[in-house]
Amino acid sequence: CAAGTLAAVTDESAEAVLFHIQMDDFRVAEAAWGPDGLVVLLHGVDKSPRADQTSIALLRPDEREAALLVPPALGSGGPRYTIASALSSDGRRASPLIADLESRLLLFDAEGKGGLLPGEVFPDTERWENLAAGAKGRAIVFASGGVTRRIVATDTLGSAYRTLSTVSGPVRWLHFSPDGAWVFYAHEIGKLVVSLKAMTTDENTEGERTLIEGKIRLMDDSIFQDGSAVVAANLTNADSRLVLVNNAAEPTQTDLGQGSAIALAPDQESFACIADDYLGKPQVWLARLDAPAERRQLTYLGEGVDSLCGVSPDGRWVFASVGENSRPGVVFRRTDKTNET
């Protein structure tokens, strides 16, 4: 689909581009950068005719173009798609991994190939819940459903697998560190409360460790290159805070100020975040980790932005999800422009 049919694209300013995706009763649930643009996962809005449906689109802010990669199924039910960011063997951003959790079919891996994953990984009594892809040996990690969740790793499609951990609650977030040495995951331990854990992918080293617990929100780009720390939003209290948590046996936290979402920039020295402006509307901001109080506001939308944000692999674009009248959207803001409007 061309941008004209899938999305209405408007220039909010000289530096900001807004994609209004023409799909009623959907919302932007997840997003992952690839070499060609931002891949967004669209979920049907609860209690709407699209409630059980998912779809995937590609947005290209430089070209002002949008394309539908995976259309929603006709009628209720159908595939239950998910996406995971992926890296090539040399550490560069690859096309995101796309899978149907319902049929346990991997549509595309990091090299653009598809196929069924090893059937013995998940017996028919289990269902996929989440997945992540890493650069190291094209490793892939899955979380299964059921009463007890298993987090399972395999190095390549169709190869042997091993269980890294078992947890009792749903897995809400699952990612490799960019160097492939660590797996981070968050699992639900109570209503809206998750426990963020880290574990090595090397079977000969220590097991998993708990980094932080609470109403934690994590973005796709939350982990430092070497897995030494992670940034997150802690929504436990009314004054939600952004924190940097080091990956250590006794983790410590560094407060980065107020906000509801945070994502690292590729330089690992700055971050994008969502925080309220002086009118109380959530907007996108940019700041350095060593000076978090000196934020630069990037968006000035009348109703603010939604809950997802991130920075492009080249550091030139920051994005945030938006939602107006049950119609999804994404705003992109250039970081290499200084004019404020």
Side-chain angles (χ1 to χ4, degrees):
C1 293
T5 56
L6 176 63
V9 183
T10 59
D11 291 321
E12 296 297 297
S13 69
E15 300 85 26
V17 181
L18 182 59
F19 283 71
H20 297 276
I21 301 174
Q22 308 296 299
M23 295 176 63
D24 291 339
D25 296 326
F26 278 90
R27 63 181 178 84
V28 178
E30 298 176 36
W33 285 100
D36 298 323
L38 183 71
V39 176
V40 296
L41 174 67
L42 303 165
H43 276 188
V45 176
D46 292 342
K47 299 180 180 180
S48 76
R50 300 284 194 174
D52 297 328
Q53 298 183 13
T54 53
S55 181
I56 299 174
L58 172 67
L59 308 181
R60 305 173 66 189
D62 280 309
E63 295 80 6
R64 305 321 198 247
E65 294 178 352
L68 195 61
L69 299 182
V70 181
L74 297 176
S76 61
R80 186 166 55 94
Y81 296 113
T82 190
I83 60 176
S85 59
L87 300 174
S88 60
S89 57
D90 59 4
R92 292 183 297 177
R93 190 63 64 108
S95 298
L97 187 134
I98 301 173
D100 174 13
L101 298 179
E102 200 66 40
S103 64
R104 296 178 295 183
L105 174 65
L106 186 67
L107 302 180
F108 305 100
D109 66 16
E111 295 184 356
K113 300 175 182 178
L116 285 168
L117 291 165
E120 65 271 18
V121 171
F122 297 113
D124 291 338
T125 55
E126 296 184 81
R127 61 183 298 187
W128 287 5
E129 190 168 71
N130 217 319
L131 78 161
K136 192 175 182 180
R138 288 176 54 218
I140 300 173
V141 169
F142 319 87
S144 72
V147 176
T148 300
R149 273 73 172 179
R150 291 192 299 149
I151 297 178
V152 181
T154 180
D155 290 330
T156 58
L157 296 181
S159 68
Y161 69 92
R162 64 185 187 276
T163 298
L164 297 179
S165 181
T166 57
V167 296
S168 58
V171 175
R172 299 303 186 199
W173 187 82
L174 183 66
H175 277 279
F176 277 96
S177 60
D179 66 1
W182 289 86
V183 171
F184 293 78
Y185 73 95
H187 80 279
E188 190 176 293
I189 57 176
K191 187 176 182 180
L192 300 179
V193 176
V194 300
S195 176
L196 175 62
K197 296 181 180 292
M199 57 187 170
T200 62
T201 55
D202 186 347
E203 297 176 280
N204 299 317
T205 57
E206 65 172 294
E208 63 187 15
R209 54 176 64 150
T210 299
L211 302 183
I212 186 174
E213 292 183 348
K215 293 182 180 180
I216 308 302
R217 176 179 291 165
L218 297 139
M219 297 292 103
D220 189 52
D221 296 309
S222 295
I223 307 167
F224 281 77
Q225 174 69 31
D226 58 1
S228 61
V230 60
V231 292
N234 190 339
L235 313 181
T236 303
N237 300 316
D239 179 28
S240 57
R241 308 299 295 180
L242 306 176
V243 294
L244 184 152
V245 186
N246 69 323
N247 179 13
E250 296 183 2
T252 58
Q253 297 182 32
T254 301
D255 186 271
L256 300 175
Q258 188 274 334
S260 58
I262 181 171
L264 286 172
D267 61 13
Q268 306 272 286
E269 297 177 351
S270 54
F271 63 89
C273 67
I274 297 175
D276 291 345
D277 61 12
Y278 74 98
L279 295 175
K281 300 294 184 181
Q283 305 288 354
V284 181
W285 306 71
L286 195 65
R288 292 184 56 84
L289 287 167
D290 58 4
E294 300 175 10
R295 297 178 176 179
R296 177 162 66 99
Q297 187 173 346
L298 298 184
T299 63
Y300 297 83
L301 299 180
E303 296 302 317
V305 299
D306 204 353
S307 58
L308 297 181
C309 69
V311 185
S312 62
D314 60 10
R316 293 173 50 249
W317 290 98
V318 170
F319 86 90
S321 58
V322 298
E324 297 178 0
N325 302 320
S326 297
R327 177 169 288 181
V330 175
V331 61
F332 294 89
R333 172 60 155 82
R334 289 279 294 270
T335 62
D336 53 354
K337 298 285 187 178
T338 57
N339 294 335
E340 303 293 345
T341 58

